[in-house]
Amino acid sequence: EVQLVQSGGGLIQPGRSLRLSCAASGFTFDDYVIHWVRQVPGKGLEWVSGINWNENNIAYADSVKGRFTISRDNAKNSLYLQMNSLRAEDMALYYCVKENYWGAFDIWGQGTMVTVSS
Amino acid sequence: EIVMTQSPATLSASPGERATLSCRASQSFSNNLAWYQQKPGQAPRLLIYGASTRATGIPARFSGSGSGTEFTLTISSLQSEDFAVYYCQQYYNWPKTFGQGTKLEIK
């Protein structure tokens, strides 16, 4: 079964750091671009960051640029999001998402909630 | 950044009716457009990519059309399980922006 299983969310104080992880299975991980997308509960979807197979094409939303770092370990079939200097506005449900060959987002993780609060 | 604008924000319809959801892009591109369905408590699900190609397992009552700046998702005969929030997304370039969503609710 093709799936993405996420871990690493939780309650964190403003200004602190948190790392999200996403474990892939059921497909050849290093064949695909992978993204992080977030969603404030009850609101819309916001693309956060994406990374190609060899990490030489990486992009971030302006809202997280300079604070978040995306990375991947193809040997471990895993994607990561290092989130530093967290703010209240970063509080959201974060999804790990696989891109298909055409660029659409075909496989979504279950989501992990990040709560930023003192 | 390409801004995606969906309309209407909320669409009220009855089972069996036809629903038409719209998505407009702030700049033109060919067919790098996807539609997603999201139900409460669930991750989004890919319905349509390439503006008109149904994803695996998506029923034929879902269809997509359009190119350039105007795109449409049509649900030919609404089933009870179709009432959800729908998002369009452009993947022509990065950032791969989403529309704000259309909530399809039961009338």
mmCIF file of all heavy atoms in Angstrom, chain B residues 47-94:
data_model
loop_
_atom_site.group_PDB
_atom_site.id
_atom_site.type_symbol
_atom_site.label_atom_id
_atom_site.label_comp_id
_atom_site.label_asym_id
_atom_site.label_seq_id
_atom_site.Cartn_x
_atom_site.Cartn_y
_atom_site.Cartn_z
ATOM 1 N N LEU B 47 -8.805 14.436 -6.918
ATOM 2 C CA LEU B 47 -9.894 14.038 -7.815
ATOM 3 C C LEU B 47 -9.498 14.095 -9.281
ATOM 4 O O LEU B 47 -9.727 13.165 -10.046
ATOM 5 C CB LEU B 47 -11.096 14.981 -7.633
ATOM 6 C CG LEU B 47 -11.802 15.036 -6.291
ATOM 7 C CD1 LEU B 47 -12.881 16.117 -6.340
ATOM 8 C CD2 LEU B 47 -12.385 13.687 -5.929
ATOM 9 N N ILE B 48 -8.941 15.241 -9.656
ATOM 10 C CA ILE B 48 -8.668 15.574 -11.052
ATOM 11 C C ILE B 48 -7.272 16.172 -11.153
ATOM 12 O O ILE B 48 -6.880 16.984 -10.303
ATOM 13 C CB ILE B 48 -9.671 16.626 -11.584
ATOM 14 C CG1 ILE B 48 -11.107 16.129 -11.496
ATOM 15 C CG2 ILE B 48 -9.312 17.063 -13.009
ATOM 16 C CD1 ILE B 48 -11.509 15.129 -12.547
ATOM 17 N N TYR B 49 -6.509 15.778 -12.161
ATOM 18 C CA TYR B 49 -5.253 16.448 -12.471
ATOM 19 C C TYR B 49 -5.197 16.677 -13.982
ATOM 20 O O TYR B 49 -6.012 16.126 -14.724
ATOM 21 C CB TYR B 49 -4.045 15.659 -11.964
ATOM 22 C CG TYR B 49 -3.866 14.308 -12.591
ATOM 23 C CD1 TYR B 49 -3.030 14.132 -13.690
ATOM 24 C CD2 TYR B 49 -4.531 13.191 -12.086
ATOM 25 C CE1 TYR B 49 -2.862 12.892 -14.280
ATOM 26 C CE2 TYR B 49 -4.368 11.943 -12.664
ATOM 27 C CZ TYR B 49 -3.527 11.789 -13.752
ATOM 28 O OH TYR B 49 -3.366 10.558 -14.326
ATOM 29 N N GLY B 50 -4.255 17.505 -14.395
ATOM 30 C CA GLY B 50 -4.207 17.854 -15.808
ATOM 31 C C GLY B 50 -5.485 18.531 -16.276
ATOM 32 O O GLY B 50 -5.858 18.424 -17.447
ATOM 33 N N ALA B 51 -6.171 19.165 -15.348
ATOM 34 C CA ALA B 51 -7.429 19.896 -15.567
ATOM 35 C C ALA B 51 -8.624 18.989 -15.841
ATOM 36 O O ALA B 51 -9.760 19.371 -15.532
ATOM 37 C CB ALA B 51 -7.303 20.928 -16.690
ATOM 38 N N SER B 52 -8.384 17.800 -16.415
ATOM 39 C CA SER B 52 -9.524 16.987 -16.831
ATOM 40 C C SER B 52 -9.353 15.483 -16.648
ATOM 41 O O SER B 52 -10.265 14.719 -16.992
ATOM 42 C CB SER B 52 -9.845 17.261 -18.302
ATOM 43 O OG SER B 52 -8.734 16.925 -19.120
ATOM 44 N N THR B 53 -8.235 15.047 -16.135
ATOM 45 C CA THR B 53 -7.984 13.611 -15.968
ATOM 46 C C THR B 53 -8.379 13.170 -14.569
ATOM 47 O O THR B 53 -7.860 13.701 -13.580
ATOM 48 C CB THR B 53 -6.501 13.288 -16.210
ATOM 49 O OG1 THR B 53 -6.130 13.702 -17.523
ATOM 50 C CG2 THR B 53 -6.257 11.797 -16.049
ATOM 51 N N ARG B 54 -9.281 12.205 -14.496
ATOM 52 C CA ARG B 54 -9.689 11.706 -13.183
ATOM 53 C C ARG B 54 -8.567 10.865 -12.573
ATOM 54 O O ARG B 54 -7.934 10.051 -13.253
ATOM 55 C CB ARG B 54 -10.966 10.865 -13.289
ATOM 56 C CG ARG B 54 -12.246 11.681 -13.373
ATOM 57 C CD ARG B 54 -13.467 10.798 -13.261
ATOM 58 N NE ARG B 54 -13.490 9.772 -14.283
ATOM 59 C CZ ARG B 54 -13.930 9.954 -15.516
ATOM 60 N NH1 ARG B 54 -14.378 11.140 -15.888
ATOM 61 N NH2 ARG B 54 -13.923 8.959 -16.378
ATOM 62 N N ALA B 55 -8.344 11.065 -11.281
ATOM 63 C CA ALA B 55 -7.375 10.251 -10.562
ATOM 64 C C ALA B 55 -7.922 8.832 -10.390
ATOM 65 O O ALA B 55 -9.113 8.572 -10.598
ATOM 66 C CB ALA B 55 -7.060 10.874 -9.208
ATOM 67 N N THR B 56 -7.057 7.939 -9.991
ATOM 68 C CA THR B 56 -7.440 6.539 -9.828
ATOM 69 C C THR B 56 -8.599 6.397 -8.849
ATOM 70 O O THR B 56 -8.569 6.950 -7.750
ATOM 71 C CB THR B 56 -6.241 5.729 -9.312
ATOM 72 O OG1 THR B 56 -5.147 5.871 -10.224
ATOM 73 C CG2 THR B 56 -6.598 4.268 -9.169
ATOM 74 N N GLY B 57 -9.619 5.669 -9.284
ATOM 75 C CA GLY B 57 -10.733 5.370 -8.407
ATOM 76 C C GLY B 57 -11.792 6.448 -8.294
ATOM 77 O O GLY B 57 -12.770 6.272 -7.554
ATOM 78 N N ILE B 58 -11.633 7.540 -9.011
ATOM 79 C CA ILE B 58 -12.611 8.631 -8.929
ATOM 80 C C ILE B 58 -13.773 8.356 -9.872
ATOM 81 O O ILE B 58 -13.565 8.085 -11.056
ATOM 82 C CB ILE B 58 -11.945 9.978 -9.259
ATOM 83 C CG1 ILE B 58 -10.772 10.246 -8.298
ATOM 84 C CG2 ILE B 58 -12.974 11.109 -9.207
ATOM 85 C CD1 ILE B 58 -11.144 10.214 -6.826
ATOM 86 N N PRO B 59 -15.001 8.442 -9.367
ATOM 87 C CA PRO B 59 -16.172 8.117 -10.204
ATOM 88 C C PRO B 59 -16.314 9.047 -11.409
ATOM 89 O O PRO B 59 -15.908 10.211 -11.368
ATOM 90 C CB PRO B 59 -17.351 8.303 -9.237
ATOM 91 C CG PRO B 59 -16.772 8.214 -7.878
ATOM 92 C CD PRO B 59 -15.384 8.748 -7.971
ATOM 93 N N ALA B 60 -16.951 8.539 -12.440
ATOM 94 C CA ALA B 60 -17.102 9.276 -13.690
ATOM 95 C C ALA B 60 -18.008 10.499 -13.564
ATOM 96 O O ALA B 60 -18.028 11.356 -14.454
ATOM 97 C CB ALA B 60 -17.630 8.347 -14.778
ATOM 98 N N ARG B 61 -18.774 10.601 -12.466
ATOM 99 C CA ARG B 61 -19.624 11.783 -12.308
ATOM 100 C C ARG B 61 -18.806 13.060 -12.049
ATOM 101 O O ARG B 61 -19.334 14.167 -12.171
ATOM 102 C CB ARG B 61 -20.644 11.589 -11.188
ATOM 103 C CG ARG B 61 -20.078 11.441 -9.798
ATOM 104 C CD ARG B 61 -21.209 11.235 -8.775
ATOM 105 N NE ARG B 61 -20.709 11.115 -7.406
ATOM 106 C CZ ARG B 61 -20.335 9.965 -6.859
ATOM 107 N NH1 ARG B 61 -20.401 8.848 -7.572
ATOM 108 N NH2 ARG B 61 -19.887 9.947 -5.615
ATOM 109 N N PHE B 62 -17.530 12.882 -11.716
ATOM 110 C CA PHE B 62 -16.636 14.020 -11.537
ATOM 111 C C PHE B 62 -15.936 14.300 -12.872
ATOM 112 O O PHE B 62 -15.320 13.398 -13.459
ATOM 113 C CB PHE B 62 -15.579 13.741 -10.471
ATOM 114 C CG PHE B 62 -16.126 13.667 -9.077
ATOM 115 C CD1 PHE B 62 -16.543 12.450 -8.550
ATOM 116 C CD2 PHE B 62 -16.231 14.806 -8.292
ATOM 117 C CE1 PHE B 62 -17.061 12.376 -7.255
ATOM 118 C CE2 PHE B 62 -16.743 14.747 -7.000
ATOM 119 C CZ PHE B 62 -17.158 13.528 -6.487
ATOM 120 N N SER B 63 -15.994 15.541 -13.319
ATOM 121 C CA SER B 63 -15.278 15.903 -14.528
ATOM 122 C C SER B 63 -14.696 17.297 -14.388
ATOM 123 O O SER B 63 -15.251 18.161 -13.691
ATOM 124 C CB SER B 63 -16.182 15.830 -15.764
ATOM 125 O OG SER B 63 -17.234 16.773 -15.672
ATOM 126 N N GLY B 64 -13.567 17.498 -15.038
ATOM 127 C CA GLY B 64 -12.909 18.795 -15.008
ATOM 128 C C GLY B 64 -12.698 19.311 -16.410
ATOM 129 O O GLY B 64 -12.564 18.541 -17.364
ATOM 130 N N SER B 65 -12.687 20.633 -16.520
ATOM 131 C CA SER B 65 -12.456 21.250 -17.819
ATOM 132 C C SER B 65 -11.787 22.590 -17.631
ATOM 133 O O SER B 65 -11.683 23.111 -16.513
ATOM 134 C CB SER B 65 -13.787 21.413 -18.573
ATOM 135 O OG SER B 65 -14.651 22.289 -17.860
ATOM 136 N N GLY B 66 -11.356 23.154 -18.771
ATOM 137 C CA GLY B 66 -10.779 24.485 -18.746
ATOM 138 C C GLY B 66 -9.315 24.514 -19.098
ATOM 139 O O GLY B 66 -8.640 23.481 -19.140
ATOM 140 N N SER B 67 -8.828 25.711 -19.366
ATOM 141 C CA SER B 67 -7.414 25.964 -19.603
ATOM 142 C C SER B 67 -7.211 27.468 -19.548
ATOM 143 O O SER B 67 -8.194 28.229 -19.548
ATOM 144 C CB SER B 67 -6.938 25.397 -20.933
ATOM 145 O OG SER B 67 -7.553 26.090 -21.996
ATOM 146 N N GLY B 68 -5.953 27.869 -19.491
ATOM 147 C CA GLY B 68 -5.707 29.305 -19.421
ATOM 148 C C GLY B 68 -5.879 29.826 -18.015
ATOM 149 O O GLY B 68 -5.037 29.564 -17.152
ATOM 150 N N THR B 69 -6.955 30.536 -17.785
ATOM 151 C CA THR B 69 -7.202 31.071 -16.451
ATOM 152 C C THR B 69 -8.531 30.607 -15.856
ATOM 153 O O THR B 69 -8.814 30.921 -14.700
ATOM 154 C CB THR B 69 -7.184 32.610 -16.450
ATOM 155 O OG1 THR B 69 -8.220 33.081 -17.305
ATOM 156 C CG2 THR B 69 -5.831 33.154 -16.905
ATOM 157 N N GLU B 70 -9.341 29.889 -16.607
ATOM 158 C CA GLU B 70 -10.662 29.495 -16.134
ATOM 159 C C GLU B 70 -10.815 27.980 -16.153
ATOM 160 O O GLU B 70 -10.644 27.345 -17.201
ATOM 161 C CB GLU B 70 -11.750 30.121 -17.025
ATOM 162 C CG GLU B 70 -11.734 31.645 -17.064
ATOM 163 C CD GLU B 70 -12.239 32.286 -15.796
ATOM 164 O OE1 GLU B 70 -12.925 31.602 -14.997
ATOM 165 O OE2 GLU B 70 -11.956 33.477 -15.577
ATOM 166 N N PHE B 71 -11.158 27.440 -14.999
ATOM 167 C CA PHE B 71 -11.284 25.994 -14.845
ATOM 168 C C PHE B 71 -12.576 25.670 -14.113
ATOM 169 O O PHE B 71 -13.061 26.479 -13.317
ATOM 170 C CB PHE B 71 -10.080 25.432 -14.076
ATOM 171 C CG PHE B 71 -8.779 25.684 -14.757
ATOM 172 C CD1 PHE B 71 -8.061 26.855 -14.518
ATOM 173 C CD2 PHE B 71 -8.257 24.776 -15.665
ATOM 174 C CE1 PHE B 71 -6.857 27.108 -15.150
ATOM 175 C CE2 PHE B 71 -7.055 25.016 -16.309
ATOM 176 C CZ PHE B 71 -6.367 26.182 -16.058
ATOM 177 N N THR B 72 -13.105 24.481 -14.391
ATOM 178 C CA THR B 72 -14.384 24.085 -13.814
ATOM 179 C C THR B 72 -14.333 22.630 -13.380
ATOM 180 O O THR B 72 -13.786 21.779 -14.076
ATOM 181 C CB THR B 72 -15.513 24.260 -14.847
ATOM 182 O OG1 THR B 72 -15.581 25.634 -15.241
ATOM 183 C CG2 THR B 72 -16.852 23.846 -14.268
ATOM 184 N N LEU B 73 -14.916 22.377 -12.214
ATOM 185 C CA LEU B 73 -15.174 21.019 -11.758
ATOM 186 C C LEU B 73 -16.683 20.829 -11.786
ATOM 187 O O LEU B 73 -17.420 21.639 -11.205
ATOM 188 C CB LEU B 73 -14.653 20.809 -10.336
ATOM 189 C CG LEU B 73 -14.992 19.447 -9.694
ATOM 190 C CD1 LEU B 73 -14.226 18.330 -10.381
ATOM 191 C CD2 LEU B 73 -14.673 19.465 -8.190
ATOM 192 N N THR B 74 -17.114 19.768 -12.443
ATOM 193 C CA THR B 74 -18.530 19.468 -12.521
ATOM 194 C C THR B 74 -18.797 18.112 -11.888
ATOM 195 O O THR B 74 -18.073 17.142 -12.156
ATOM 196 C CB THR B 74 -19.015 19.462 -13.987
ATOM 197 O OG1 THR B 74 -18.773 20.744 -14.569
ATOM 198 C CG2 THR B 74 -20.508 19.158 -14.054
ATOM 199 N N ILE B 75 -19.817 18.066 -11.054
ATOM 200 C CA ILE B 75 -20.295 16.800 -10.500
ATOM 201 C C ILE B 75 -21.681 16.592 -11.099
ATOM 202 O O ILE B 75 -22.599 17.384 -10.840
ATOM 203 C CB ILE B 75 -20.336 16.836 -8.961
ATOM 204 C CG1 ILE B 75 -19.004 17.340 -8.400
ATOM 205 C CG2 ILE B 75 -20.636 15.437 -8.407
ATOM 206 C CD1 ILE B 75 -19.009 17.619 -6.919
ATOM 207 N N SER B 76 -21.820 15.561 -11.917
ATOM 208 C CA SER B 76 -23.009 15.464 -12.771
ATOM 209 C C SER B 76 -24.283 15.171 -11.992
ATOM 210 O O SER B 76 -25.347 15.691 -12.326
ATOM 211 C CB SER B 76 -22.794 14.401 -13.848
ATOM 212 O OG SER B 76 -22.555 13.142 -13.233
ATOM 213 N N SER B 77 -24.204 14.335 -10.989
ATOM 214 C CA SER B 77 -25.381 13.971 -10.202
ATOM 215 C C SER B 77 -24.918 13.735 -8.769
ATOM 216 O O SER B 77 -24.329 12.700 -8.471
ATOM 217 C CB SER B 77 -26.050 12.716 -10.771
ATOM 218 O OG SER B 77 -27.177 12.355 -9.991
ATOM 219 N N LEU B 78 -25.186 14.699 -7.917
ATOM 220 C CA LEU B 78 -24.627 14.674 -6.573
ATOM 221 C C LEU B 78 -25.102 13.477 -5.755
ATOM 222 O O LEU B 78 -26.299 13.170 -5.696
ATOM 223 C CB LEU B 78 -24.978 15.967 -5.839
ATOM 224 C CG LEU B 78 -24.184 17.204 -6.283
ATOM 225 C CD1 LEU B 78 -24.855 18.477 -5.768
ATOM 226 C CD2 LEU B 78 -22.748 17.112 -5.799
ATOM 227 N N GLN B 79 -24.129 12.825 -5.144
ATOM 228 C CA GLN B 79 -24.409 11.762 -4.181
ATOM 229 C C GLN B 79 -24.162 12.311 -2.783
ATOM 230 O O GLN B 79 -23.463 13.312 -2.600
ATOM 231 C CB GLN B 79 -23.498 10.565 -4.444
ATOM 232 C CG GLN B 79 -23.564 10.038 -5.874
ATOM 233 C CD GLN B 79 -24.934 9.521 -6.243
ATOM 234 O OE1 GLN B 79 -25.461 8.641 -5.564
ATOM 235 N NE2 GLN B 79 -25.523 10.086 -7.296
ATOM 236 N N SER B 80 -24.699 11.645 -1.792
ATOM 237 C CA SER B 80 -24.583 12.146 -0.415
ATOM 238 C C SER B 80 -23.130 12.287 0.009
ATOM 239 O O SER B 80 -22.774 13.208 0.755
ATOM 240 C CB SER B 80 -25.324 11.212 0.541
ATOM 241 O OG SER B 80 -24.821 9.894 0.441
ATOM 242 N N GLU B 81 -22.271 11.407 -0.503
ATOM 243 C CA GLU B 81 -20.861 11.446 -0.112
ATOM 244 C C GLU B 81 -20.063 12.554 -0.793
ATOM 245 O O GLU B 81 -18.889 12.738 -0.484
ATOM 246 C CB GLU B 81 -20.198 10.093 -0.391
ATOM 247 C CG GLU B 81 -20.184 9.665 -1.842
ATOM 248 C CD GLU B 81 -21.375 8.790 -2.215
ATOM 249 O OE1 GLU B 81 -22.446 8.930 -1.585
ATOM 250 O OE2 GLU B 81 -21.220 7.969 -3.148
ATOM 251 N N ASP B 82 -20.684 13.290 -1.690
ATOM 252 C CA ASP B 82 -19.984 14.352 -2.418
ATOM 253 C C ASP B 82 -20.001 15.684 -1.673
ATOM 254 O O ASP B 82 -19.301 16.618 -2.074
ATOM 255 C CB ASP B 82 -20.594 14.555 -3.801
ATOM 256 C CG ASP B 82 -20.515 13.312 -4.664
ATOM 257 O OD1 ASP B 82 -19.629 12.459 -4.411
ATOM 258 O OD2 ASP B 82 -21.336 13.185 -5.585
ATOM 259 N N PHE B 83 -20.789 15.772 -0.618
ATOM 260 C CA PHE B 83 -20.872 17.044 0.102
ATOM 261 C C PHE B 83 -19.612 17.187 0.958
ATOM 262 O O PHE B 83 -19.383 16.411 1.884
ATOM 263 C CB PHE B 83 -22.166 17.138 0.888
ATOM 264 C CG PHE B 83 -23.355 17.223 -0.027
ATOM 265 C CD1 PHE B 83 -24.045 16.072 -0.405
ATOM 266 C CD2 PHE B 83 -23.754 18.435 -0.555
ATOM 267 C CE1 PHE B 83 -25.121 16.144 -1.288
ATOM 268 C CE2 PHE B 83 -24.821 18.517 -1.426
ATOM 269 C CZ PHE B 83 -25.502 17.374 -1.802
ATOM 270 N N ALA B 84 -18.808 18.172 0.614
ATOM 271 C CA ALA B 84 -17.455 18.304 1.147
ATOM 272 C C ALA B 84 -16.917 19.664 0.714
ATOM 273 O O ALA B 84 -17.635 20.462 0.113
ATOM 274 C CB ALA B 84 -16.572 17.189 0.596
ATOM 275 N N VAL B 85 -15.649 19.898 1.020
ATOM 276 C CA VAL B 85 -14.977 21.103 0.544
ATOM 277 C C VAL B 85 -14.071 20.716 -0.629
ATOM 278 O O VAL B 85 -13.395 19.680 -0.588
ATOM 279 C CB VAL B 85 -14.150 21.770 1.654
ATOM 280 C CG1 VAL B 85 -13.431 23.009 1.126
ATOM 281 C CG2 VAL B 85 -15.049 22.154 2.829
ATOM 282 N N TYR B 86 -14.066 21.540 -1.667
ATOM 283 C CA TYR B 86 -13.275 21.278 -2.864
ATOM 284 C C TYR B 86 -12.264 22.408 -3.068
ATOM 285 O O TYR B 86 -12.599 23.586 -2.943
ATOM 286 C CB TYR B 86 -14.193 21.168 -4.085
ATOM 287 C CG TYR B 86 -15.064 19.932 -4.014
ATOM 288 C CD1 TYR B 86 -16.250 19.938 -3.283
ATOM 289 C CD2 TYR B 86 -14.673 18.757 -4.641
ATOM 290 C CE1 TYR B 86 -17.037 18.796 -3.189
ATOM 291 C CE2 TYR B 86 -15.454 17.609 -4.561
ATOM 292 C CZ TYR B 86 -16.622 17.639 -3.829
ATOM 293 O OH TYR B 86 -17.391 16.503 -3.736
ATOM 294 N N TYR B 87 -11.043 21.994 -3.375
ATOM 295 C CA TYR B 87 -9.970 22.947 -3.617
ATOM 296 C C TYR B 87 -9.407 22.735 -5.018
ATOM 297 O O TYR B 87 -9.225 21.593 -5.452
ATOM 298 C CB TYR B 87 -8.820 22.751 -2.622
ATOM 299 C CG TYR B 87 -9.177 23.037 -1.187
ATOM 300 C CD1 TYR B 87 -9.577 22.020 -0.329
ATOM 301 C CD2 TYR B 87 -9.083 24.328 -0.671
ATOM 302 C CE1 TYR B 87 -9.903 22.274 0.988
ATOM 303 C CE2 TYR B 87 -9.403 24.596 0.651
ATOM 304 C CZ TYR B 87 -9.810 23.561 1.472
ATOM 305 O OH TYR B 87 -10.122 23.820 2.786
ATOM 306 N N CYS B 88 -9.098 23.845 -5.682
ATOM 307 C CA CYS B 88 -8.296 23.753 -6.893
ATOM 308 C C CYS B 88 -6.857 24.126 -6.546
ATOM 309 O O CYS B 88 -6.593 24.779 -5.521
ATOM 310 C CB CYS B 88 -8.843 24.644 -8.000
ATOM 311 S SG CYS B 88 -8.791 26.424 -7.683
ATOM 312 N N GLN B 89 -5.935 23.697 -7.383
ATOM 313 C CA GLN B 89 -4.513 23.976 -7.181
ATOM 314 C C GLN B 89 -3.828 24.053 -8.533
ATOM 315 O O GLN B 89 -4.054 23.213 -9.399
ATOM 316 C CB GLN B 89 -3.854 22.867 -6.365
ATOM 317 C CG GLN B 89 -2.377 23.082 -6.097
ATOM 318 C CD GLN B 89 -1.616 21.786 -5.890
ATOM 319 O OE1 GLN B 89 -2.008 20.726 -6.369
ATOM 320 N NE2 GLN B 89 -0.528 21.853 -5.152
ATOM 321 N N GLN B 90 -2.987 25.062 -8.683
ATOM 322 C CA GLN B 90 -2.140 25.105 -9.876
ATOM 323 C C GLN B 90 -0.795 24.495 -9.538
ATOM 324 O O GLN B 90 -0.235 24.746 -8.477
ATOM 325 C CB GLN B 90 -1.993 26.534 -10.422
ATOM 326 C CG GLN B 90 -1.243 27.504 -9.523
ATOM 327 C CD GLN B 90 0.275 27.368 -9.592
ATOM 328 O OE1 GLN B 90 0.826 26.822 -10.561
ATOM 329 N NE2 GLN B 90 0.963 27.864 -8.565
ATOM 330 N N TYR B 91 -0.283 23.682 -10.442
ATOM 331 C CA TYR B 91 1.069 23.162 -10.258
ATOM 332 C C TYR B 91 1.924 23.497 -11.482
ATOM 333 O O TYR B 91 2.877 22.795 -11.800
ATOM 334 C CB TYR B 91 1.068 21.662 -9.942
ATOM 335 C CG TYR B 91 0.285 20.768 -10.882
ATOM 336 C CD1 TYR B 91 0.906 20.197 -11.980
ATOM 337 C CD2 TYR B 91 -1.057 20.494 -10.640
ATOM 338 C CE1 TYR B 91 0.209 19.362 -12.832
ATOM 339 C CE2 TYR B 91 -1.767 19.660 -11.489
ATOM 340 C CZ TYR B 91 -1.136 19.096 -12.580
ATOM 341 O OH TYR B 91 -1.832 18.270 -13.416
ATOM 342 N N TYR B 92 1.584 24.599 -12.110
ATOM 343 C CA TYR B 92 2.366 25.099 -13.236
ATOM 344 C C TYR B 92 3.727 25.580 -12.767
ATOM 345 O O TYR B 92 4.739 25.369 -13.434
ATOM 346 C CB TYR B 92 1.595 26.230 -13.920
ATOM 347 C CG TYR B 92 2.330 26.911 -15.036
ATOM 348 C CD1 TYR B 92 2.579 26.255 -16.229
ATOM 349 C CD2 TYR B 92 2.783 28.227 -14.892
ATOM 350 C CE1 TYR B 92 3.254 26.888 -17.264
ATOM 351 C CE2 TYR B 92 3.459 28.861 -15.918
ATOM 352 C CZ TYR B 92 3.682 28.185 -17.103
ATOM 353 O OH TYR B 92 4.346 28.815 -18.119
ATOM 354 N N ASN B 93 3.733 26.292 -11.643
ATOM 355 C CA ASN B 93 5.021 26.694 -11.084
ATOM 356 C C ASN B 93 4.950 26.738 -9.565
ATOM 357 O O ASN B 93 3.879 26.585 -8.974
ATOM 358 C CB ASN B 93 5.503 28.018 -11.680
ATOM 359 C CG ASN B 93 4.572 29.179 -11.384
ATOM 360 O OD1 ASN B 93 3.719 29.089 -10.519
ATOM 361 N ND2 ASN B 93 4.761 30.283 -12.087
ATOM 362 N N TRP B 94 6.129 26.929 -8.961
ATOM 363 C CA TRP B 94 6.201 27.007 -7.504
ATOM 364 C C TRP B 94 6.101 28.473 -7.090
ATOM 365 O O TRP B 94 6.666 29.335 -7.777
ATOM 366 C CB TRP B 94 7.526 26.417 -7.004
ATOM 367 C CG TRP B 94 7.651 24.942 -7.218
ATOM 368 C CD1 TRP B 94 7.125 24.215 -8.238
ATOM 369 C CD2 TRP B 94 8.365 24.005 -6.406
ATOM 370 N NE1 TRP B 94 7.476 22.900 -8.089
ATOM 371 C CE2 TRP B 94 8.232 22.727 -6.991
ATOM 372 C CE3 TRP B 94 9.121 24.130 -5.240
ATOM 373 C CZ2 TRP B 94 8.808 21.592 -6.442
ATOM 374 C CZ3 TRP B 94 9.701 22.990 -4.692
ATOM 375 C CH2 TRP B 94 9.548 21.742 -5.288
#
